Amino acid sequence: MSTLSDTRPAAASGRFRLGGEQGRPVHRLGLGTMRLTGPGVWGPPADRGAAVAVLRRAADLGVDLFDTADSYGPDVAEEILREALHPYDGLTIATKAGLLRTGPNEWHAYGRPEYLRQQCDQSLRKLGVERIDLFQLHRVDPQVPADEQFGALAELQAEGKVAAVGLSEVGVDQIEAARLVVDVATVQNRYNIADRSSDDVLRFCTEQGIGFIPWAPIAAGRLAEPGGALDATARRLGGTPAQVALAWLLQRSSVMLPIPGTSDVAHLEENVAAASLPLDLDTVEELDTAA
């Protein structure tokens, strides 16, 4: 396992322990795998070898948190992860269940306990592990009592099939309700410099030491356009708007765990380099004001 003295680029993002002081340490800048599938997050990628290369290069760069889901493909991303990185020495693999797929860009919440258990077992087989490092509820299904969904996660954890439990797209009330049933190690909500609708959730996670995994971390819209705040800052610092967006996230909270996704090695290397991009307080204030 990599150490705190690790000199690989991702190490500059700092460390966070999933699940508290006794949890698994990961570099805060991870990698999402949704883009390693076909159009509409459906089917295999056009170039499977390129997808494998991205994952292996990420590990070379010190990325040790890889986020996936049974619904990416579906099944495709988990299988590519296994091909590229098994047996995952020193790596943390996070996956998700709770969404059904019926076609490209079609997603449906489905949180019946027996389904979550079935999908957990399938992810164990597809990833080739005896225990999933981080198992996340992809969505809370409004048609199923929330306590039943949280209870299923707690049972899987008690049985040793899951090391840590996470939630996705939830509010503070849902996190608090879940914590009455199971320890919550992470929360994964949409969050970026242009979309801070989950600021209250981030504050709660920061106060409670819960990892916050922002999806769509570099979706900055007009801020990244020529002349925008991210573009201006990037030009001044010799970086790119995407790097500035990631650097901003990393300084936003000590529990922030961005997982930018890509299917291109050069883009991956650019993203990981964001861990070393310096943002002083004046720059951060300028970006906050612009956003």
Side-chain angles (χ1 to χ4, degrees), residues 10-49:
S13 65
R15 281 282 193 176
F16 180 80
R17 287 186 177 272
L18 296 173
E21 293 184 1
Q22 303 305 313
R24 295 176 64 93
V26 296
H27 291 137
R28 290 173 56 213
L29 186 58
L31 178 71
T33 63
M34 188 175 72
R35 294 182 181 271
L36 303 181
T37 61
V41 199
W42 186 258
D47 188 340
R48 188 181 181 96

Side-chain angles (χ1 to χ4, degrees), residues 78-274:
E78 289 183 326
E79 293 171 355
I80 294 176
L81 260 172
R82 180 174 183 169
E83 178 181 343
L85 299 175
H86 192 270
Y88 317 114
D89 292 335
L91 306 179
T92 294
I93 308 300
T95 193
K96 299 181 285 292
L99 286 178
L100 282 173
R101 301 298 307 282
T102 53
N105 293 317
E106 295 179 5
W107 311 77
H108 310 279
Y110 193 68
R112 294 184 63 84
E114 58 270 26
Y115 178 73
L116 298 177
R117 175 174 291 277
Q118 168 191 294
Q119 295 307 103
C120 178
D121 288 340
Q122 290 187 9
S123 288
L124 287 167
R125 290 194 296 271
K126 284 178 290 185
L127 291 169
V129 296
E130 294 183 356
R131 182 172 63 175
I132 294 170
D133 299 325
L134 175 62
F135 190 64
Q136 304 158 92
L137 181 61
H138 213 155
R139 291 292 186 276
V140 177
D141 184 349
Q143 304 302 317
V144 178
D147 282 355
E148 293 184 12
Q149 299 171 70
F150 304 148
L153 301 178
E155 290 175 2
L156 291 168
Q157 187 177 49
E159 293 166 13
K161 294 183 176 182
V162 169
V165 165
L167 304 174
S168 181
E169 281 305 300
V170 290
V172 172
D173 289 349
Q174 290 172 305
I175 302 170
E176 291 179 323
R179 294 178 82 195
L180 297 175
V181 180
V182 64
D183 290 334
V184 176
T186 61
V187 168
Q188 185 167 158
N189 280 16
R190 180 182 173 91
Y191 191 88
N192 52 60
I193 193 169
D195 182 355
R196 306 188 201 176
S197 56
S198 285
D199 258 336
D200 60 332
V201 175
L202 176 59
R203 284 193 297 271
F204 180 82
C205 288
T206 303
E207 293 166 357
Q208 300 299 318
I210 297 171
F212 185 92
I213 304 175
W215 62 272
I218 56 178
R222 289 180 297 173
L223 295 175
E225 294 176 355
L230 288 177
D231 178 63
T233 301
R235 290 175 181 273
R236 187 171 72 250
L237 297 179
T240 67
Q243 288 175 329
V244 175
L246 289 171
W248 178 87
L249 283 171
L250 288 169
Q251 66 76 41
R252 188 76 173 163
S253 170
S254 60
V255 305
M256 189 77 78
L257 306 170
I259 50 165
T262 180
S263 58
D264 179 78
V265 169
H267 189 202
L268 163 73
E269 292 172 345
E270 174 188 317
N271 286 342
V272 174

